[in-house]
Amino acid sequence: MSIFKPSEGTLVVVPSLSLPQDELRRITAARSYEERLLFLLLSLREPGVKVIYLSSAPIDPDIIDYYLGFLPDPDDAAKRLTLISLDEPWSQPLTKTLLSRPDAIERLRSEIDGDAWVVPFVLSELEEELASLLSVPLYGPATSLSYYGSKSGAREVGQEAGVPMPRGFGDVRTALEIEEAIEALPGERVIVKLNDGYSGLGNAIVPRTDRGLTSFSMAGETWTSFTAKIRDRGAVVEEYIEHRPLYYPSALACITPGGQAQVLATHDQVLGGANGQVYQGCTFPAAPEYRAEVGASADRIARILAKRGVVGLFGMDFFALKADAGYAALLCEINLRIGGTTHPFGAAVMTTGATYDPATGLLMSGNQPKYYTATDNCAAACLRGASPGDITRTAERLGIGFDAERRTGNVFHLLGALPEHGKLGFTSIGDSREEADELHALTRRLLCGS
């Protein structure tokens, strides 16, 4: 089963942000991140597919029309799409609210017919309870396996896979363990990462001497509050890679319910924030200097996770640096969930029909490779108050929309964040690295003035 190219059945899309809420609140327009999985509406291209999409608040109809507009028969696709809004925009997470609403559960159950899968953004005990109530299987890793998606679990899997990693220590919780780990590692500073942190928001760069000079990725954090989280959630302490230039490739992989592991793509991540640790976007594919090594390491990790019983989509982050014998790729973390590179990849393959070639690491649409550059964070004051329809119509008028004939152009997401926050995301697809980058830069200038 592939959620990117399903042939039949019902996808019950539950984009609940079942993640640590203290970090989630720091993300601008976090609620609109429930729209990240709207690219799955493109699966309605197949006449045997039905999609049920849940959300905390109603999704602007112009956004739905925008995605259906990529399909050859939007009207027919709309008949096989069910949107269920809980009309509670400030409750977190979505699945928790859904479980407290018997009426919504009953409506959801009534819409499911035939073979179905629950596709969660992230899988927690809440999503497992929902799937059990619906008697529908989950497309994601069981919570009993969630340790392998923690920072400590990633080090364990990486070691078993024989994948290079920064020197460090996992399952650190007490103040004494933190201090002993810092003393045992080289360099003037180390990086400490909460086991269940995401988007880099659970990271801190800690100097060896003065803890008061610690640099936190999350604004407002202190050493006292951070160490309290370490006690509750656990962490890893690793050497801080001082080598420059340093690159941040990642790999996207999936494991089918039958246990088949496959690397889907490699990317270079674009990071930002106070520590330069927070995900902002990505480019596909990863640079040729280390693309093959990242893909090979990801494949070894995916095979081990398949043996452990993991199912679904997940990402792996790496560091890449130039060594004497070429480039080295070091495993940074494993994210057992749909991540920031999933929706750009989904948008690209489902609009172009491209297929990943593991031998070259390229997406091929016929004989033409496809490249893309994506952002989650295009924001400008001039965009605040704009509607999703305003932006998609403006893009078409300016010639920066999607060209169905050439299979190049922009695919927009996070459009629901525009009116209040003046923020959106988009994936720029081209026939070369240069074309994708130039389109992306042009779109930023035209829409965001940057």
Side-chain angles (χ1 to χ4, degrees):
M1 183 231 178
S2 168
I3 62 170
F4 301 109
K5 296 181 180 179
S7 58
E8 59 182 5
T10 300
L11 301 182
V12 183
V13 185
V14 185
S16 180
L17 304 173
S18 302
L19 296 161
Q21 299 298 294
D22 58 335
E23 293 163 29
L24 188 65
R25 284 191 289 270
R26 307 297 177 128
I27 298 176
T28 301
R31 166 61 60 215
S32 296
Y33 280 67
E34 288 184 357
E35 297 178 11
R36 266 181 163 182
L37 299 188
L38 282 172
F39 71 85
L40 289 174
L41 269 58
L42 303 182
S43 66
L44 292 166
R45 181 182 304 273
E46 295 295 329
V49 172
K50 179 178 180 180
V51 174
I52 303 171
Y53 202 100
L54 290 103
S55 61
S56 297
I59 299 171
D60 190 311
D62 281 347
I63 299 177
I64 302 301
D65 290 343
Y66 170 69
Y67 282 98
L68 295 183
F70 286 92
L71 305 178
D73 191 343
D75 292 338
D76 179 66
K79 295 174 184 176
R80 292 177 280 113
L81 171 64
T82 300
L83 302 172
I84 299 178
S85 168
L86 302 183
D87 295 317
E88 295 190 30
W90 304 116
S91 60
Q92 288 280 4
L94 163 65
T95 311
K96 186 174 183 179
T97 305
L98 178 60
L99 290 170
S100 70
R101 295 272 301 274
D103 59 320
I105 293 288
E106 191 53 43
R107 184 189 171 196
L108 177 54
R109 186 181 285 115
S110 69
E111 293 287 347
I112 298 172
D113 51 36
D115 292 335
W117 289 88
V118 172
V119 182
F121 179 78
V122 60
L123 201 157
S124 72
E125 292 178 353
L126 296 172
E127 286 71 38
E128 287 183 326
E129 182 179 349
L130 173 64
S132 178
L133 283 173
L134 297 173
S135 298
V136 173
L138 278 158
Y139 190 74
T143 57
S144 60
L145 303 172
S146 62
Y147 174 73
Y148 301 121
S150 71
K151 304 301 185 292
S152 297
R155 292 192 63 84
E156 180 181 311
V157 173
Q159 184 174 10
E160 183 177 342
V163 172
M165 295 179 290
R167 287 168 289 188
F169 301 88
D171 289 319
V172 172
R173 290 185 181 271
T174 68
L176 178 61
E177 289 172 335
I178 295 171
E179 294 303 323
E180 289 179 341
I182 291 174
E183 287 302 315
L185 292 171
E188 295 300 316
R189 48 187 177 168
V190 300
I191 185 166
V192 182
K193 300 183 286 189
L194 297 176
N195 265 340
D196 58 354
Y198 56 93
S199 292
L201 289 171
N203 296 356
I205 298 173
V206 184
R208 183 177 296 279
T209 52
D210 188 351
R211 302 293 178 266
L213 298 177
T214 296
S215 175
F216 299 98
S217 291
M218 189 163 67
E221 193 78 89
T222 66
W223 185 247
T224 300
S225 64
F226 191 66
T227 51
K229 292 177 182 178
I230 293 174
R231 285 194 299 272
D232 291 340
R233 293 150 60 176
V236 299
V237 181
E238 295 178 341
E239 63 175 319
Y240 183 78
I241 308 297
E242 301 281 3
H243 189 286
R244 296 295 181 272
L246 187 63
Y247 306 97
Y248 305 93
S250 69
L252 178 65
C254 73
I255 300 172
T256 68
Q260 181 182 357
Q262 180 184 9
V263 175
L264 300 176
T266 64
H267 297 88
D268 274 316
Q269 298 181 90
V270 179
L271 304 181
N275 270 347
Q277 302 278 324
V278 180
Y279 179 83
Q280 304 287 307
C282 65
T283 61
F284 172 90
E289 291 85 354
Y290 44 78
R291 183 190 309 160
E293 184 176 354
V294 169
S297 293
D299 182 69
R300 295 202 295 274
I301 292 168
R303 290 177 187 275
I304 287 176
L305 292 175
K307 291 179 182 177
R308 303 280 175 92
V310 170
V311 170
L313 287 161
F314 60 98
M316 294 155 276
D317 294 342
F318 295 82
F319 299 115
L321 52 97
K322 195 174 189 325
D324 292 339
Y327 279 79
L330 309 179
L331 176 66
C332 176
E333 62 187 49
I334 299 171
N335 297 304
L336 283 187
R337 55 176 174 81
I338 288 174
T341 62
T342 308
H343 54 282
F345 173 79
V349 299
M350 296 174 82
T351 55
T352 67
T355 302
Y356 182 69
D357 177 8
T360 62
L362 297 174
L363 277 175
M364 301 300 297
S365 179
N367 294 322
Q368 175 62 57
K370 294 293 180 179
Y371 299 76
Y372 56 83
T373 303
T375 181
D376 271 350
N377 198 30
C378 178
C382 63
L383 292 175
R384 193 172 292 117
S387 72
D390 291 338
I391 294 300
T392 56
R393 288 187 291 269
T394 297
E396 290 302 317
R397 177 174 56 81
L398 296 176
I400 55 173
F402 187 79
D403 185 330
E405 185 174 341
R406 291 191 67 237
R407 300 184 183 186
T408 60
N410 283 309
V411 182
F412 293 96
H413 62 275
L414 291 181
L415 290 166
L418 279 165
E420 183 178 356
H421 301 283
K423 178 180 177 180
L424 79 161
F426 56 93
T427 301
S428 305
I429 305 167
D431 287 339
S432 67
R433 170 81 279 135
E434 293 75 19
E435 182 179 9
D437 286 345
E438 287 172 7
L439 173 62
H440 198 75
L442 174 63
T443 304
R444 277 189 175 275
R445 289 197 301 272
L446 292 176
L447 296 183
C448 306
S450 62

